[in-house]
Amino acid sequence: MDTNTFLKALKEQGIELNDNQLQQFQRYFEILVEWNEKMNLTAITDQEGVYLKHFYDSLTAAMYFDFSEPLRICDVGAGAGFPSLPLKIAFPHVKVTIVDSLKKRITFLNHLAHELGLDDVAFYHDRAENFGKNAKFREGYDLVMARAVARMSVLSELCLPLTSKGGHFMAMKGPGLAEELEDAKVAIQTVGGEVKDIHTFSLPEEESERNIAIIEKRRKTPKKYPRKAGTPNKAPIQ
């Protein structure tokens, strides 16, 4: 996906970028490729691939959720900043917090945010399980996001404790979401969520399947969740 196609495809979905935002995406791409030589951030390094599979893919979140309001967003396991930093570029008024367990990635994100001139962004080096127990952050976000991080049964336990009551957890996934959601039914309800919407669509050009699940936080999460680091992955709530 070249930059003109990127702009046009977004415009068709009601997302318009100005010259400064387009420059921020270009700089993001350059920094990503430069740092990827020192650390493993992404397997996709060609410009067309990054614009389609990282930038455009991240922004599909805004095609199914309203980002026009002031939102406090927490992105769990964002890696190189996806999906929350492309969303921050396109919707500068949102406040973004990223939690990631790898210190090197946090160093990259701090450098990236500085270079792109992003404000109202915060990066924390922590396990999601510990972060969700911290009273400063627990149930403090309007929208908690995760993109292809783990199975839904695991993600629910990591993300819903951070979601404010009445807020939403959004999981961005490839194929096979229906089966994952079936397995995650008990986990989602246990930590206070209810499935609100599931959107299935194809990425332009390559037509690969994408799914977005939006879970509404209906009830407070019981204090015992999330369990200690590593447990949700080893023994998901059944």
Side-chain angles (χ1 to χ4, degrees):
M1 178 175 269
D2 62 34
T3 52
N4 286 334
T5 314
F6 176 65
L7 274 176
K8 188 165 174 261
L10 290 175
K11 195 172 182 179
E12 283 168 6
Q13 297 290 341
I15 301 168
E16 296 204 37
L17 302 178
N18 61 32
D19 287 347
N20 180 55
Q21 288 166 313
L22 201 53
Q23 282 168 5
Q24 284 176 305
F25 276 113
Q26 180 58 30
R27 190 75 190 106
Y28 195 156
F29 164 69
E30 289 164 2
I31 294 166
L32 179 69
V33 171
E34 181 192 325
W35 278 62
N36 203 58
E37 289 176 8
K38 298 181 270 187
M39 64 174 80
N40 181 26
L41 291 165
T42 176
I44 302 161
T45 53
D46 64 294
Q47 183 158 357
E48 298 210 340
V50 170
Y51 270 76
L52 176 64
K53 294 178 185 177
H54 286 324
F55 296 164
Y56 183 88
D57 192 27
S58 293
L59 292 172
T60 58
M63 299 167 198
Y64 301 98
F65 195 87
D66 184 7
F67 281 81
S68 66
E69 299 297 315
L71 286 173
R72 294 162 302 164
I73 297 171
C74 182
D75 189 350
V76 173
F82 309 121
S84 58
L85 292 189
L87 288 161
K88 173 69 180 172
I89 292 171
F91 304 93
H93 56 273
V94 302
K95 295 183 175 183
V96 170
T97 295
I98 289 178
V99 56
D100 197 279
S101 60
L102 202 63
K103 186 82 167 72
K104 287 192 296 188
R105 284 200 287 255
I106 297 297
T107 305
F108 163 75
L109 292 169
N110 273 308
H111 174 76
L112 178 70
H114 175 73
E115 287 289 311
L116 300 186
L118 302 178
D119 56 12
D120 278 332
V121 290
F123 308 118
Y124 293 93
H125 172 230
D126 204 353
R127 292 285 299 246
E129 296 94 331
N130 301 333
F131 197 73
K133 285 281 194 193
N134 188 327
K136 189 178 163 190
F137 308 111
R138 187 178 178 87
E139 298 192 322
Y141 298 95
D142 306 305
L143 178 64
V144 180
M145 309 184 75
R147 179 176 175 255
V149 174
R151 305 187 303 285
M152 282 300 295
S153 50
V154 179
L155 279 183
S156 304
E157 186 174 350
L158 300 181
C159 296
L160 279 162
L162 288 162
T163 311
S164 62
K165 197 174 164 195
H168 297 86
F169 155 46
M170 180 190 287
M172 303 181 75
K173 294 281 202 171
L177 178 65
E179 194 181 318
E180 279 192 43
L181 278 172
E182 188 60 38
D183 290 344
K185 258 185 185 169
V186 176
I188 291 168
Q189 292 193 334
T190 301
V191 290
E194 300 285 344
V195 178
K196 186 181 176 187
D197 290 304
I198 299 159
H199 303 282
T200 302
F201 57 97
S202 297
L203 269 192
E205 298 186 357
E206 63 169 36
E207 297 301 313
S208 51
E209 184 184 317
R210 291 291 185 271
N211 287 279
I212 288 178
I214 298 173
I215 317 288
E216 189 175 349
K217 178 76 171 276
R218 297 269 180 88
R219 302 168 298 280
K220 278 180 80 72
T221 301
K223 278 202 173 76
K224 70 181 276 193
Y225 300 106
R227 292 164 294 164
K228 69 180 184 184
T231 307
N233 205 31
K234 283 189 207 127
I237 301 166
Q238 296 292 344

